[in-house]
Amino acid sequence: MDTDKLTQCNSLVDAGLQELVLLPGSNDYVNREASYWAANVPLHPKCIVRPRTTEEVSRVIKALAKVDGLVALRSGGHTQWAGSNDIHDGVTIDLGRMTDVTYDAHSQLASIQPGPRWGDVYQELLKYDVCVTGGRDGNVGIGGYLTGGGNSYYAGLRGFACDNVANFEVVLANGEIVNANATSNSDLWTALKGGSGNFGIVTRFDMYTFPAKNLWGGIRAAARSEGDELAQTMVDFTNDNQKNPEDAYIINYTFNPGSSLDILVAHVIVDTNGMANASAFDKIQKVPVIVSDVKERTMANMADSYLLPSDQQQVWFSLTLKNDVRVIKKAGEMHDKLVDELKGLLPDGKFTTQCLFQPIPTLFAEHSVQHGGNVLGLEKVEENALLWLITGATQNLEEQTIMQNKLTAFSATLEEFAKSEGLLVDWQYLNYVDKTQNPLKSYGQDNVKFIRQVAAKYDPSGMFQTKVVSGWKISKVDA
C-alpha cells in the first residue's frame, strides 16, 4: 500500500513538479498541516502538492490520474469534518498558494482564486470600492464555501453566494481547463452552485460585484433569560425579511467560558446599507444586553471581528426547520441541558457550544432562480424556514468523542421533535452538516439526477467520485 502512495509523490516529481511537493518532516509540510482551522481535520498525507497556477493544477491532475492512490483537495481548509479536505494514505492538493484577487472595472467582475480567505478578499476589493457576496467569518475559505451554496449577510438582497458566480474556471479530470457560465458549459455552471466536489477543481471564481458600502451592525449578547423573547424576534424577522432584504439576523444560544460562565444568547444584527438602528431591529434592540458591539464598519472589519477560534476539535450538525418559535425554544431548552451534562463529563470546563438559528426566507431561493438557478433545491421549500446549527468545540480527541456522541443525540432528538410537530424541512445546508448527514440527497430527486448527469459528462472516468475524495460525492447518494 505504501508503495502506491510513494508512487503518487514520485509521479509528481517525474512530471517536473518537484518544486511544488512538500514531504513529511519538512517545515513547510508541518506548517501547512497546522494551518487547518479545525484540529481534528489534518490527516498527514504522504505528500502535499501546492500548485501556483491553473496550468500547474492541470499538470498535477494529469500526473495523479496515471497512478493508483487517493487524493484530497484543500482550498481554505475551514470545513470541520475529518476527510473533507485532507487524507492520510494519499496526496493532498493544497490550493493555498493561488491567492489572486483582481477586479475588472469594465465587466465589474471580481476574479478570485481558491487560496485566500474571505477577509482577504473583502480587504483587497475595498481598493476598488466594491464588494462581493461572501462568507461572514473572515477565516472561511473560498472553494468549499461557494460550491456548497454560501450563506451571507447579503443573501436577502442577492441570494446565496454561489448565485453570484458569473463564471467558474475548472480543471477537469483529464486536465482540460474549461469555463462554466450561463452561455458556455451552462450545465456545469448550474451544478457547481451547490454541487460540491463532483466535477473538477475550480481554480477561479468570477463574481458579480456591487459598490462597497459600510455596514451597520455587530454582535450583542443577552442573558439566557431573554432567550424566549429573542426567539420570537427571530420568527418575526424571518417573516418580515422580504420587506427588509438588506438586513440580516442570527441568534445563538452559546456557552463560552472564556467570556462568561453562564449561557448567553448572542445575536448578530446587520444592515448592509449602513442604516443605523434600522426599523427591522426595533424589537431586538429593546431586549437588554450585557455586551453590545454594534457600529458602522466595513464588511472586511465585520468578517474579521468575530472569528471562530481555530485549533479546536470541532463537531457540527445542522437541520432546516419551519419558522416557528416552538422549535427555537425547544432547542434552547435542550442546549441548557446539554451544557449541564457536558460540565459533568468535561470537568475542566474547556469546551464551547453554539446553538444557532438564522433566517431562510423564501426570498433567498427567489434570487437563485432569477440568477439562473442552482442545485440546492431550496425553491421547493414554499414557506419561510430557519437554518439551525449546533457546534461543539473541545481540546482533545477523547473529549471530541464525547461531544460527537452528545451532538449526534441532540440533532436526532431535535429532528424527532420537529417531525412530530410538523416543523421539519427536508433540506440540509451542505457547509454546516456533519459527515454522517446527507445534504446532496436533500436537494431533491431532480437535482440529484442532474448532478449525476453533469458529473458523468465532465468526469466520465469517475476520478472525482473514486480517487479525489474531498467534498460530498453524488455516487454515495442512494439512487
Side-chain angles (χ1 to χ4, degrees):
M1 191 71 171
D2 281 354
T3 311
D4 284 347
K5 306 312 170 285
L6 200 57
T7 303
Q8 280 185 293
C9 301
N10 288 342
S11 74
L12 294 166
V13 174
D14 293 344
L17 298 166
Q18 62 270 19
E19 281 186 15
L20 310 181
V21 176
L22 307 181
L23 295 172
S26 70
N27 285 340
D28 286 344
Y29 177 103
V30 171
N31 289 340
R32 284 313 288 168
E33 283 294 282
S35 68
Y36 283 95
W37 176 68
N40 50 295
V41 162
L43 298 175
H44 313 298
K46 298 299 179 188
C47 62
I48 299 169
V49 58
R50 303 195 70 206
R52 298 162 296 197
T53 65
T54 299
E55 289 69 27
E56 286 180 347
V57 173
S58 174
R59 289 170 64 195
V60 166
I61 279 289
K62 286 177 182 175
L64 292 174
K66 292 174 185 172
V67 292
D68 290 338
L70 300 178
V71 178
L73 183 62
R74 173 186 181 176
S75 172
H78 199 275
T79 304
Q80 75 288 350
W81 50 273
S84 60
N85 45 27
D86 205 7
I87 193 165
H88 182 59
D89 283 321
V91 173
T92 295
I93 302 172
D94 177 351
L95 303 173
R97 291 172 84 175
M98 298 177 66
T99 57
D100 287 355
V101 179
T102 58
Y103 176 65
D104 183 309
H106 177 68
S107 66
Q108 297 186 327
L109 294 178
S111 292
I112 304 165
Q113 288 188 313
R117 311 292 173 86
W118 283 109
D120 307 322
V121 171
Y122 298 133
Q123 201 60 54
E124 185 62 27
L125 291 178
L126 269 180
K127 295 176 185 175
Y128 309 99
D129 294 321
V130 296
C131 191
V132 290
T133 304
R136 294 170 298 195
D137 182 309
N139 263 345
V140 169
I142 309 303
Y145 172 85
L146 285 173
T147 57
N151 202 354
S152 160
Y153 292 132
Y154 297 102
L157 286 174
R158 303 176 191 282
F160 277 84
C162 67
D163 297 313
N164 292 270
V165 180
N167 179 74
F168 299 89
E169 179 187 79
V170 190
V171 178
L172 302 179
N174 64 1
E176 185 185 352
I177 300 163
V178 301
N179 284 282
N181 50 59
T183 55
S184 177
N185 302 308
S186 60
D187 51 355
L188 181 58
W189 176 63
T190 302
L192 279 164
K193 294 189 278 183
S196 192
N198 284 291
F199 318 103
I201 299 176
V202 182
T203 47
R204 197 186 72 239
F205 301 84
D206 298 328
M207 297 193 71
Y208 301 116
T209 62
F210 49 90
K213 294 180 184 176
N214 280 358
L215 314 175
W216 178 85
I219 199 164
R220 306 169 86 243
R224 173 63 185 91
S225 56
E226 305 293 346
D228 285 1
E229 180 69 26
L230 286 165
Q232 187 60 53
T233 66
M234 172 54 70
V235 171
D236 295 342
F237 179 92
T238 302
N239 283 333
D240 289 341
N241 208 179
Q242 193 128 11
K243 298 177 200 165
N244 309 288
E246 68 279 5
D247 294 322
Y249 184 34
I250 303 169
I251 64 170
N252 181 9
Y253 299 80
T254 181
F255 176 72
N256 183 348
S259 53
S260 172
L261 294 177
D262 298 316
I263 293 170
L264 299 178
V265 189
H267 45 290
V268 176
I269 55 175
V270 176
D271 182 276
T272 58
N273 284 341
M275 171 72 73
N277 303 305
S279 60
F281 305 124
D282 283 351
K283 287 181 187 171
I284 298 161
Q285 289 195 279
K286 284 176 182 165
V287 175
V289 291
I290 301 158
V291 174
S292 181
D293 180 36
V294 180
K295 60 187 179 186
E296 185 177 334
R297 64 221 305 175
T298 63
M299 183 63 226
N301 175 279
M302 186 75 190
D304 285 336
S305 291
Y306 310 115
L307 300 174
L308 292 172
S310 57
D311 303 319
Q312 296 178 323
Q313 305 276 334
Q314 294 285 341
V315 182
W316 292 24
F317 279 86
S318 183
L319 297 168
T320 307
L321 306 156
K322 289 190 180 176
N323 185 36
D324 190 297
V325 75
R326 288 173 292 167
V327 80
I328 306 179
K329 289 180 178 178
K330 176 69 172 178
E333 290 160 8
M334 287 172 60
H335 179 256
D336 296 341
K337 187 180 173 193
L338 171 73
V339 171
D340 280 345
E341 289 173 356
L342 287 170
K343 283 177 179 176
L345 293 165
L346 307 173
D348 65 359
K350 290 183 179 174
F351 68 90
T352 61
T353 59
Q354 301 182 96
C355 179
L356 186 148
F357 286 88
Q358 52 195 305
I360 300 283
T362 55
L363 172 67
F364 291 5
E366 287 167 20
H367 287 304
S368 301
V369 172
Q370 288 159 12
H371 289 170
N374 58 39
V375 291
L376 296 172
L378 253 185
E379 68 279 358
K380 73 183 187 330
V381 179
E382 294 176 354
E383 298 175 64
N384 293 330
L386 298 169
L387 180 58
W388 169 76
L389 167 68
I390 193 156
T391 79
T394 54
Q395 302 299 307
N396 59 52
L397 203 52
E398 187 183 346
E399 292 178 345
Q400 194 213 18
T401 303
I402 293 169
M403 186 67 79
Q404 181 80 38
N405 292 337
K406 283 287 173 192
L407 296 197
T408 300
F410 190 115
S411 182
T413 302
L414 186 63
E415 184 172 2
E416 203 46 55
F417 170 80
K419 263 187 197 167
S420 70
E421 298 291 328
L423 300 175
L424 186 67
V425 176
D426 183 19
W427 185 79
Q428 294 174 3
Y429 179 46
L430 185 147
N431 289 338
Y432 281 180
V433 292
D434 183 69
K435 64 181 173 185
T436 60
Q437 297 186 265
N438 198 346
L440 292 180
K441 188 171 185 180
S442 79
Y443 290 1
Q445 219 169 6
D446 290 347
N447 284 321
V448 167
K449 184 180 176 186
F450 178 71
I451 293 168
R452 274 194 223 286
Q453 289 170 344
V454 176
K457 176 180 172 181
Y458 290 92
D459 178 22
S461 68
M463 183 174 181
F464 284 89
Q465 300 306 316
T466 56
K467 183 186 277 281
V468 181
V469 295
S470 300
W472 293 89
K473 299 304 174 187
I474 197 66
S475 54
K476 293 185 178 176
V477 177
D478 298 338

